[in-house]
Amino acid sequence: MAKKRILVTGGTGYIGSHTSVELINEGFDVVIVDNLSNSSIDMLDGIEKITGVRPDFEQFDLCERDKLQNLFKKYPDIEAIIHFAASKAVGESVEKPLLYYRNNLTSLINVLEVMNENPKVSLVFSSSCTVYGQPDVLPVTEEAPIKKANSPYGNTKQIAEEIIQDTIAANPAVKTIALRYFNPIGAHKSALIGELPLGVPQNLIPFVTQTAIGLRQQLSVFGNDYNTTDGSCIRDYIHVVDLAKAHVVAIKRLVENKNKANFEIFNLGTGNGVSVLEILNAFEKATGVKVNYKIVDRRAGDVEQVWADTRYANDELGWKAQSTLEETLRSAWDWEKYYRSKN
Ligand code: NAD
Ligand code: WQD
């Protein structure tokens, strides 16, 4: 049987590269579109070394609709799209909101328009737990109310989900699964692909590993006066490979017509809330490296605590995050060491 072809937008990025590996391992053909605005072409080498297959790659900006239309002429057998491509830096989105609205929404609209023209193509969309803001009830389920976004980036994810729903209402052929990621961390066990933040990392784990390796002097822990067990914020940190595997499950659900509605939403997390200080302890336990840190003021816009109710994803998708926190942190550390030894 011919392999099914999947378009992975943003496929040289952090989550897209890990997902491309899992798709190839599961027998899919992958074509990646990325404009390399936040990733390196070298990720293709990593994907090839891990899987033995170099995915097809097209470098262009998804805001250019004609290029996307031409891609579907070149690959008329694309069966589904995983749309990762987006700008994702929360702080930058506050300073450059229009850049975020333009990039994240124009690229999505183009993807949906091309789906209207190619009715058999379905979509997996990268959404985020950011749509929940600070939930009233924890763990947070998919039914929790959407709170006002606390950044333009977060708002693009809320608006994106609405745009998709409205599109499906008008054209039920546009089948979509939106996956709301919690905090993806870690790297492939080979250490051949991983997270590559540009400049000073804004996210916790890259800052931790860069401090551990000596690139940064000290980690700032943003607040220890929250209403949590140790006063630091709580998140649900999920291994990126577990997250990637959930995409393969979602793709199979769509291409095998096993979806129960034309628009489905799943939380992707571990179901465990872990504080910043617990992360630092677990990192030391996992790697033997103590991270130099100081407590500083709260960071504006941070939610106090959020973690996923994963029952719906576990039961309905038959998927569950497998990795322990220590394995996950060790993989982030192995990637940092490998990457720095090469660059
Ligand atoms: P990433 O920046 O590593 O990957 C995104 C990729 O998309 C990059 O390779 C970038 O070059 C590409 N891209 C951006 N705009 C493009 C455009 N207009 N045309 C073509 N390519 C473009 O980010 P990631 O962490 O892999 O995130 C993937 C998706 O998951 C994003 O939609 C992000 O918002 C979402 N998400 C990420 C997290 C997280 O913590 N990493 C959490 C929740 C949701
Ligand atoms: C985690 C915790 C910080 C850095 C962001 C986006 C969210 C989603 C995931 C895409 C928080 C603390 C961090 C540091 C720290 N992305 N921290 N010192 O804020 O949960 O979520 O990425 O959709 O939308 O907002 O992740 O890694 O930035 O922070 O103490 O130097 O670590 O306060 O409690 P966050 P993060």
Side-chain angles (χ1 to χ4, degrees):
M1 213 170 69
K3 288 185 174 182
K4 293 185 186 299
R5 194 186 299 282
I6 310 298
L7 166 58
V8 180
T9 78
T12 45
Y14 174 44
I15 306 171
S17 56
H18 288 84
T19 301
S20 296
V21 164
E22 298 306 320
L23 284 167
I24 294 168
N25 285 344
E26 287 288 315
F28 290 93
D29 268 340
V30 169
V31 49
I32 290 175
V33 171
D34 202 298
N35 64 357
L36 303 180
S37 58
N38 196 39
S39 58
S40 162
I41 188 82
D42 297 345
M43 287 296 145
L44 294 178
D45 297 335
I47 296 170
E48 184 176 4
K49 277 191 194 138
I50 295 168
T51 63
V53 176
R54 194 172 185 83
D56 291 328
F57 176 72
E58 305 276 338
Q59 183 177 345
F60 65 83
D61 188 329
L62 288 152
C63 294
E64 297 187 57
R65 186 179 52 184
D66 53 332
K67 295 205 171 147
L68 188 58
Q69 286 168 320
N70 288 338
L71 185 91
F72 274 79
K73 289 188 189 121
K74 184 168 172 189
Y75 299 99
D77 58 341
I78 289 172
E79 293 203 22
I81 305 172
I82 309 184
H83 184 45
F84 289 109
S87 306
K88 64 160 183 179
V90 173
E92 185 186 49
S93 81
V94 175
E95 275 150 36
K96 301 176 186 165
L98 296 180
L99 189 146
Y100 275 67
Y101 288 114
R102 177 184 295 278
N103 195 43
N104 295 4
L105 299 181
T106 308
S107 60
L108 172 68
I109 290 166
N110 288 344
V111 164
L112 291 169
E113 284 183 340
V114 170
M115 287 173 71
N116 276 335
E117 294 161 8
N118 296 271
K120 292 207 173 69
V121 178
S122 48
L123 174 67
V124 173
F125 176 70
S126 297
S127 190
S128 168
C129 69
T130 191
V131 302
Y132 298 120
Q134 176 60 63
D136 301 323
V137 180
L138 287 166
V140 63
T141 71
E142 291 81 354
E143 273 80 48
I146 301 298
K147 299 273 180 77
K148 184 175 162 39
N150 48 16
S151 71
Y153 164 74
N155 205 21
T156 67
K157 293 296 175 190
Q158 297 188 355
I159 297 170
E161 287 194 7
E162 288 178 356
I163 291 174
I164 294 168
Q165 276 175 291
D166 290 347
T167 306
I168 292 170
N171 177 6
V174 178
K175 292 189 304 184
T176 299
I177 293 179
L179 299 175
R180 291 180 178 158
Y181 315 152
F182 282 67
N183 290 56
I185 63 167
H188 190 267
K189 63 176 189 298
S190 65
L192 291 166
I193 54 174
E195 191 171 7
L196 264 187
L198 292 176
V200 181
Q202 305 300 308
N203 294 114
L204 178 63
I205 302 306
F207 208 108
V208 165
T209 56
Q210 288 194 12
T211 307
I213 210 156
L215 268 177
R216 314 269 156 217
Q217 258 194 333
Q218 195 171 47
L219 169 81
S220 295
V221 171
F222 298 134
N224 67 348
D225 56 353
Y226 285 99
N227 186 23
T228 58
T229 38
D230 61 25
S232 62
C233 290
I234 293 178
R235 298 286 184 274
D236 185 337
Y237 297 93
I238 176 171
H239 196 305
V240 67
V241 173
D242 283 328
L243 190 79
K245 288 181 174 161
H247 289 74
V248 179
V249 175
I251 281 292
K252 286 184 178 166
R253 185 175 173 91
L254 289 168
V255 299
E256 292 166 10
N257 286 313
K258 294 198 171 131
N259 54 306
K260 293 196 173 148
N262 287 341
F263 185 59
E264 296 184 306
I265 297 174
F266 294 99
N267 282 342
L268 295 185
T270 65
N272 302 317
V274 178
S275 77
V276 178
L277 295 173
E278 284 169 346
I279 284 283
L280 297 179
N281 276 330
F283 185 81
E284 188 180 344
K285 221 164 137 197
T287 65
V289 186
K290 211 175 170 63
V291 176
N292 179 26
Y293 75 90
K294 65 172 177 207
I295 310 282
V296 301
D297 285 347
R298 293 177 176 198
R299 179 171 71 176
D302 265 339
V303 306
E304 181 173 271
Q305 43 190 326
V306 60
W307 64 95
D309 188 323
T310 61
R311 280 174 301 175
Y312 187 52
N314 298 160
D315 297 347
E316 194 55 45
L317 295 179
W319 163 90
K320 200 173 190 333
Q322 300 291 341
S323 312
T324 65
L325 181 60
E326 283 181 27
E327 281 164 358
T328 309
L329 290 169
R330 203 174 307 119
S331 74
W333 179 228
D334 288 346
W335 159 249
E336 184 73 59
K337 284 188 294 183
Y338 172 82
Y339 183 73
R340 296 303 157 194
S341 72
K342 297 243 159 203
N343 293 277

